[in-house]
Amino acid sequence: MRFVDIIAKKRDRLELTKEEIQFWINGIVDGSIPDYQSSSLLMAIVLNGMNSKETAALTEAMMYSGDVIDLSGIEGIKADKHSTGGVGDKTSLALGPMVAACGLKVAKMSGRGLGHTGGTLDKLESIEGFSCEIEDEDFKKQVNECGIAIIGQTAKLVPADKTLYALRDVTATVPAIPLIASSIMSKKLASGSDTILLDVKFGEGAFMKTVDDARELARAMIAIGKELGRDTRAMISDMNQPLGNAIGNAIEVKEAVDTLHGKGPEDFTELCLQAGEIMLLQGGVYATKEEARKALIQTIEDGSAFGKLKDMVASQAGNVAMLEDTSLLPQAKYVLEMKSVQTGYIQNLNALEMGTLAMRLGAGRATKADSIDHSVGIVLNAKKSDHVNMGDVLALVYTNQELTPEWIEDFYGAYKFSTVVVERDPIIFDVLQ
Ligand code: URA
């Protein structure tokens, strides 16, 4: 087999065979296929697509390019949830403990933030001592005993994706549904959970800009999951504006803790409840959404979900006192009030801009090598559809530096106001299975 012939085939819009796709992934892993040839095939896939058979073959080849985690030693149903990424998305920190308190096992591998999107690991590392690196056996033991562990993806999980993703990043070949679907699903499948819930986000702050594109990505991923025998469902959720109120790291941990005390923002709490309902149905813990919802609310009311979060943090060497008293989490030097310069209804609160503004304060990374300031970020006081008067506080900015005129201008540029009432959007637009 010659790789140049495989590139030519995709250039000519022909279907690649399973063997050809396997040849490509093998060549990436053993280094026999140079980056320039892989880049060329990637661009041909962006332009000419892949059908569901090719996408499943690519996912399977990537999944087996490294370690495949065996969670069979863990009792019970192992449930995973994955978000395609967004701003203010601290879902795993609240939802994971809630479903674990209902009896599911959450053995989760999470990522770090890049660009305007945050990462669960960075948020958890706001907690003093918290370790995302645990040996395989300790990870499984923790999930067995405490019901939940959230760790970093090991270097040996889907190495082909690491190479391909780095190439896609610099060759303008990220936005293609077969490539995104296979990249996400290969990692989810290799992580070994029995059920997978995908939170596919759409809007300004997401990869997919429209609901239709998000649905198409969700369908592609569900098809892969089914093909490979895993119960895979998806919800399509709004990322036009940030999720919840907090955008940062320590302040998002605080918001997750508040949510587990029943004092979280409405949109975030609702997303956790609806996601939890689906996960509990997938795991067969409850037969109806209503029963599942009741149980999830119970975990907040009786403190069992907060207890799970504390157990997880303690097991991973984190300072639990910081959860019991969130004022002990890293604090920024200044907390500045950003006051509205207009009166009206908020029509738009751009998630991409807000995520980028938080990153510029130091809450995120512009490049992989950047370090993070856990104490900084933005807490929104008003969101889309809310009415504000001139002089009302739109948001609090947690910062360790003076704000520059450019930052302030971009902050106000992220808002659009209307003089007429603006409808509230649902947080979840659709659920697919
Ligand atoms: N997240 C991934 O893991 N891969 C992609 O291709 C896009 C988002």
Side-chain angles (χ1 to χ4, degrees), residues 82-84 161 165 168 174 176 179-184 187 207:
H82 177 83
S83 155
T84 55
D161 181 64
Y165 199 85
R168 287 167 61 205
V174 171
L179 297 178
I180 299 175
S182 56
S183 164
I184 292 175
K187 287 175 285 193
F207 265 112

